[in-house]
Amino acid sequence: MKKILLLVFCMPLFVVAQNKSKANKKGKTFQISGTVTGFPDSTIVDFLDGSNGSPISTTYLIKDKFSITGRMERPEFRILSFAKQQRQMIPIFLDNSNVTVTGSRDALENVVVAGSSSHDDFVAFTNLLKPYEHLFKQEASGSPAEMKAAADVLEQFVRRNNKSYMAPLAIIRNYQLVEDADLMKELYDLLPPEVQESSFGKYVASQVEDANRFPIGKPLEEFSQEDTSGNLVKLSDFKGKYVLVDFWASWCGPCRAENPNVVQVFEKYKDKNFTVFGVSLDKSRDPWIAAIHKDKLNWAHVSDLKGWNNAVAQKFHIFSIPQNLLLDPKGNVIGKNLRGEALGAKLASLLD
């Protein structure tokens, strides 16, 4: 919760077809003129911020057509969402241009977005990564050689196109592959101020700050709190094991939704030198205990029941949950915010 959604990262890299148009002269406003067939008349078209999923405006399809106007401070990702269906979305990298969107409900992956030079850049960047798109899927699989090749392509893209608004996206993708915090900071520093101030530029800045707090390969600082029985439990009590330090709360919907995944990997690897150490940002004891039992979280739990003011959360600047840190038997950070299949894949690589 309280975490940037980055909707564009949840979409396939191929979601927008090649832009076949020439960009119009940019003005002080944009206009999107859309023709999308296959939806019923009066279908809702939501215009969303592509970085956090928040709604900007809403219109309707009338005889397959819709129109949206507005103003951009700088090129940014926007999302067209049809009928509030998660997979019926079109990302546009939008600037103050006259843009046309042409496609059909049955083939939104082949939609043609024309008129925005910024979107042309997005299409070119997307095509550049096509050979490596499998590396960024949730069930990612790829050889070390493939990952290195993709990371090199992304790094060189930033170095050669540091003024492009695609550069922050390339930095994020590069960090997904190599988790090199020093390189991420080096590439971020190449961006001009106007690109750093974009939504994705600001996201990179937050990732740089986060990486500096929990650098991969460095030990996590000691902490301790009382468990559900009032006994003091220290992080160092788990030295010699792989430990997932899990920040959560009973009131956090995304945390509770992720708990079955954590339970699954715990049950699979608890006899292979792995455990979970839960740190709750609850404020009341009863809901905390009830959630532990209901979700079958059979590992160590601590909390000082101070909510967002939890001393451990404050110590590590935890301002959003769920968050987790995976530690090796020496207590060094080897993974951050691993969820779902990503957590299972990481543990499989270590323990299977």
Side-chain angles (χ1 to χ4, degrees), residues 153-169:
V153 166
L154 290 160
E155 179 182 347
Q156 291 308 311
F157 178 90
V158 177
R159 294 191 185 280
R160 294 169 182 167
N161 304 277
N162 64 305
K163 295 181 181 179
S164 168
Y165 283 87
M166 288 294 98
L169 182 53

Side-chain angles (χ1 to χ4, degrees), residues 48-68:
L48 309 175
D49 186 321
S51 65
N52 58 29
S54 63
I56 297 173
S57 64
T58 297
T59 188
Y60 300 88
L61 274 170
I62 304 297
K63 295 182 178 179
D64 300 328
K65 296 185 181 297
F66 68 93
S67 179
I68 298 172

Side-chain angles (χ1 to χ4, degrees), residues 1 23 32 34 54 59 70 75 114 134 137 140 148 160 165 168 177 180 195 197 212 242 270 310 327 343:
M1 301 180 74
I32 301 174
S54 63
T59 188
H134 61 286
K137 295 180 180 179
K148 183 180 185 305
R160 294 169 182 167
Y165 283 87
L177 294 172
D180 186 333
V195 178
E197 283 299 310
N212 288 334
Y242 288 95
K270 64 182 181 181
N310 180 290
L327 311 183
L343 176 59

